[in-house]
Amino acid sequence: MTDAALSRTSAAEPPSLYRAVPAVLGLAKLVLALATVAPLLFMLSVTFKNQNEMFTMNLIPEKPTLANLTYVFTQVNFLRYLWNTFFVATTVTVVALFFHSMAGYALARLRFPGRDAIFLAMFSTFLVSLPVIIVPLFILVKALGLLNSYAGLIIPSIFNAFGIFLLRQFYLNVPREIEEAAVIDGAGYWRIYWSIILPLSRPMLAALAILFFLANWNAFLWPLTITSDENLRVVQVAVASFQGQYTASWNYIMAASTVVALPTVIVFIIFQRQIMESIKTSGLK
Amino acid sequence: MSRPSSTPAARKAAGFRLSARHREWVAGYLFVAPDAIGLFIFAGLPMLLALGLGFFTLDGFGGFQFSGLANYRRMFVDPLFLQSLKVTLAYVLMLVPSLYIVGLALALMVQKGSALNAVIRSMFFLPQMVSLVVVALVWQVLLVDKIGFVPKMTGFLGLGGLSWLGDPDLALVSVVVVSVWFLMGFYMLIFLGGLQDIPKEYYEAARMDGAGYFAQLRHITLPLLRPTSFFVLLVSTVAAVAGGQAFDLIYVMTKGGPANSTSLAIYYIYQQAFQYNEYGYAAAMASFLVLLLMAMTLLLFVLTRGGRFNYD
């Protein structure tokens, strides 16, 4: 820890001027952090401003109004869009975690021919990003008759090597003895997976569930491409299309943005430790 | 393992009277099957198709015709595609080093475990939680000519006349700034993970030798961060060229304009496919982009010796 080391050295050195350094640095960091979140505070502030007040510099609206939010929920079918997004994100998360933990378990704990080749093949899809394959994927999904359907929104989003990889790593570190007892008791593989492996990986699954849900809540490109039916619209697409409909009515657009951003920000405030920890560890290991 | 159990694998195994070893095989395949099949259909197959699709002309209604290299030839005489490659290169050259420096600086800044640092870390990371659509919209309002918050602030510096999204020379810079703002928290965390793995003893020894902060940074932190640095450079380059993030931002913020100054290759490809129904042409350009990305990755690998930067 360089920082810790440094502050200790500067404290050990005599001049009292250096004493002020940590305080000044702390203040500077705080100012920088506040500047980072300022655009989001601005969005929140405009949500409660009326159109005339929008571009004033005051962060607290002079005459706070709920009109923008009411507009979003009454003039536009926003509840429907929220429900669609929630339904898709939740389904993808649950199904993906189920499949990924199954695959991760087999790839880490079971021995069968071709296992490493299968893992390598799965892992290589890591390099495939959506924009690169969106044309063939669109054609494929269209051929399967999934255009403009929940299935089209959900199914392709389930399969992602990232989750398999992390769960496999996790299962590799589970001690063998835990399974051995179950094997002696005559449990089959499904039983071992369901009653031993799955409960053991609860913290890992929880962290991944948050990440998957967030990623799917914020997904834009795929829903934009695969749906044109208004009833299937997700919030991200809805907000983006607001822009065209309400040019210059930034107060409505910011109100809708706040509604879309709030759930993920709340999830973050509750689970910040888990989210940041899982990203930190998924980086390299 | 002789007792019959309710697992599908075991039941199946009992029916076929498989040995324990073969039972493990069957169980393994069954457990892997859903993901293996799904990944093949929705990632592997599209990847393979992407390579072949470029040789066809598709009309978007199911009709297609073999057209050989026509799409590929068209690519290199399409001024808009060449322009989009130029924009992509400029975006990468501005974004990747900025993210590296900002991410590392933030990580060093909040590395020490204190209550204040924990709060600040979360604040730096917060933009990541918001979708890029919202990010793009918020910044659009902040950057509105003359009346937006940013022009007002820069007005104090005598730069009030700048049109951040309206000026072709500035629009891409604006997009880069917003990208850095959005992504820096992620890379900060990756760097924090890397910094955590550096043994403290090195710093203690360096201090004994009288090394100051920057000497320690240069001789300990940076060399020992090589694997992390490689990961950061690779991931941010790939994301900048072919990631969904760049697409979302451009789609909402600038639509490629003004004067195609922010038309990234992935955005141009998407436009060709889904606005003009030029699926084959789009696929050809996409496979070219993948090739380019692979070459870039290789170059990065060679330049950094697979993550082992040479600082000595």
Side-chain angles (χ1 to χ4, degrees):
Chain A
M1 302 269 138
T2 20
D3 252 18
L6 259 164
S7 54
R8 243 179 287 132
T9 31
S10 50
E13 279 155 19
S16 61
L17 184 69
Y18 287 112
R19 292 265 169 79
V21 170
V24 172
L25 277 179
L27 196 69
K29 280 192 277 193
L30 198 62
V31 170
L32 207 57
L34 282 171
T36 304
V37 294
L40 300 174
L41 294 175
F42 166 82
M43 170 184 81
L44 193 67
S45 147
V46 174
T47 301
F48 298 102
K49 283 179 175 178
N50 59 47
Q51 198 142 17
N52 312 325
E53 209 191 338
M54 252 204 71
F55 287 104
T56 57
M57 296 291 252
N58 46 338
L59 202 59
I60 312 281
E62 249 165 56
K63 288 180 200 140
T65 170
L66 286 175
N68 301 325
L69 283 169
T70 338
Y71 187 92
V72 168
F73 282 108
T74 54
Q75 302 297 304
V76 193
N77 205 353
F78 220 71
L79 280 174
R80 170 87 201 207
Y81 308 149
L82 282 169
W83 162 251
N84 285 341
T85 314
F86 178 79
F87 176 69
V88 170
T90 310
T91 313
V92 170
T93 303
V94 171
V95 179
L97 281 176
F98 182 56
F99 285 170
H100 295 350
S101 62
M102 271 169 62
Y105 163 67
L107 292 169
R109 314 299 290 197
L110 302 178
R111 271 157 304 184
F112 52 93
R115 182 186 69 175
D116 295 338
I118 292 173
F119 177 65
L120 208 68
M122 284 178 154
F123 192 69
S124 68
T125 63
F126 226 169
L127 303 169
V128 180
S129 73
L130 181 61
V132 168
I133 58 160
I134 196 149
V135 171
L137 188 61
F138 173 81
I139 291 171
L140 202 71
V141 168
K142 194 176 165 192
L144 292 170
L146 300 178
L147 213 63
N148 270 321
S149 72
Y150 281 117
L153 281 169
I154 292 167
I155 297 170
S157 310
I158 292 171
F159 304 101
N160 186 324
F162 172 71
I164 306 171
F165 176 70
L166 286 186
L167 282 162
R168 176 182 168 271
Q169 294 299 99
F170 181 83
Y171 294 143
L172 281 176
N173 294 323
V174 174
R176 278 269 165 212
E177 296 80 53
I178 291 174
E179 281 166 286
E180 274 161 15
V183 170
I184 290 165
D185 287 349
Y189 295 110
W190 179 260
R191 187 73 187 277
I192 294 172
Y193 160 73
W194 188 256
S195 349
I196 298 170
I197 296 291
L198 218 47
L200 257 180
S201 49
R202 217 173 277 154
M204 184 70 188
L205 290 175
L208 282 179
I210 300 166
L211 288 186
F212 285 9
F213 184 83
L214 290 172
N216 283 287
W217 181 277
N218 289 340
F220 173 64
L221 175 55
W222 185 244
L224 173 78
T225 311
I226 200 70
T227 56
S228 51
D229 183 349
E230 208 255 348
N231 286 318
L232 290 168
R233 196 170 285 176
V234 298
V235 279
Q236 306 299 343
V237 177
V239 173
S241 68
F242 254 45
Q243 197 195 4
Q245 288 164 41
Y246 306 97
T247 328
S249 296
W250 286 109
N251 46 332
Y252 296 147
I253 299 174
M254 287 297 99
S257 296
T258 300
V259 175
V260 174
L262 218 51
T264 54
V265 170
I266 290 171
V267 166
F268 178 64
I269 289 168
I270 300 172
F271 298 109
Q272 42 184 314
R273 259 200 54 175
Q274 288 92 321
I275 293 173
M276 294 183 23
E277 220 33 65
S278 55
I279 287 174
K280 208 152 79 176
T281 46
S282 66
L284 272 179
K285 284 142 261 177
Chain B
M1 295 240 273
S2 54
R3 215 164 64 188
S5 83
S6 58
T7 86
R11 245 187 284 126
K12 199 165 182 176
F16 291 108
R17 302 211 179 282
L18 293 174
S19 68
R21 195 163 71 111
H22 288 124
R23 221 178 296 163
E24 189 169 351
W25 290 13
V26 173
Y29 291 130
L30 288 176
F31 274 106
V32 170
D35 261 348
I37 296 168
L39 272 177
F40 176 72
I41 297 177
F42 296 107
L45 198 58
M47 193 66 214
L48 295 175
L49 279 174
L51 298 174
L53 221 53
F55 296 104
F56 291 87
T57 304
L58 285 82
D59 60 13
F61 301 99
F64 59 93
Q65 209 178 9
F66 184 77
S67 56
L69 287 173
N71 285 325
Y72 292 92
R73 252 185 246 120
R74 176 176 167 193
M75 215 157 68
F76 295 105
V77 291
D78 179 352
L80 288 177
F81 180 63
L82 297 176
Q83 157 79 4
S84 79
L85 287 180
K86 229 185 287 170
V87 174
T88 303
L89 183 69
Y91 183 65
V92 169
L93 289 179
M94 284 194 272
L95 181 65
V96 171
S98 313
L99 271 179
Y100 185 93
I101 293 165
V102 173
L104 181 60
L106 292 184
L108 290 170
M109 204 187 271
V110 297
Q111 187 188 9
K112 199 167 73 175
S114 71
L116 177 69
N117 279 351
V119 174
I120 291 175
R121 246 179 255 166
S122 293
M123 286 165 84
F124 284 144
F125 189 75
L126 194 65
Q128 272 282 306
M129 284 299 109
V130 177
S131 74
L132 276 151
V133 173
V134 167
V135 164
L137 290 170
V138 172
W139 278 94
Q140 243 182 331
V141 187
L142 288 169
L143 293 170
V144 172
D145 282 356
K146 296 190 183 77
I147 50 174
F149 185 79
V150 174
K152 271 185 188 157
M153 291 304 275
T154 50
F156 291 126
L157 305 168
L159 297 166
L162 295 182
S163 171
W164 292 95
L165 291 174
D167 181 340
D169 291 332
L170 276 179
L172 192 64
V173 175
S174 304
V175 174
V176 170
V177 170
V178 178
S179 305
V180 171
W181 176 77
F182 177 76
L183 292 166
M184 64 186 191
F186 175 79
Y187 291 104
M188 171 191 76
L189 283 187
I190 302 296
F191 275 121
L192 279 173
L195 288 172
Q196 235 169 27
D197 293 340
I198 301 178
K200 290 187 194 74
E201 294 77 49
Y202 290 149
Y203 294 109
E204 276 157 27
R207 251 178 295 123
M208 298 279 209
D209 294 342
Y213 182 78
F214 289 100
Q216 290 178 34
L217 186 67
R218 209 185 131 212
H219 296 294
I220 302 173
T221 311
L222 287 177
L224 289 174
L225 270 182
R226 278 168 204 171
T228 313
S229 299
F230 177 66
F231 178 84
V232 166
L233 292 175
L234 184 65
V235 171
S236 59
T237 305
V238 173
V241 175
Q245 300 143 359
F247 174 88
D248 292 5
L249 214 51
I250 296 295
Y251 183 93
V252 181
M253 233 167 114
T254 64
K255 293 252 186 292
N260 299 312
S261 61
T262 61
S263 176
L264 290 172
I266 47 159
Y267 182 75
Y268 182 68
I269 293 171
Y270 188 88
Q271 269 187 318
Q272 284 298 321
F274 297 103
Q275 278 176 27
Y276 308 115
N277 289 336
E278 293 270 12
Y279 294 103
Y281 184 41
M285 291 188 288
S287 25
F288 178 74
L289 207 60
V290 172
L291 274 179
L292 209 67
L293 213 53
M294 282 161 74
M296 269 181 181
T297 308
L298 206 68
L299 185 73
L300 194 64
F301 198 81
V302 170
L303 281 178
T304 63
R305 300 189 203 164
R308 282 173 284 278
F309 289 82
N310 192 4
Y311 284 103
D312 317 310

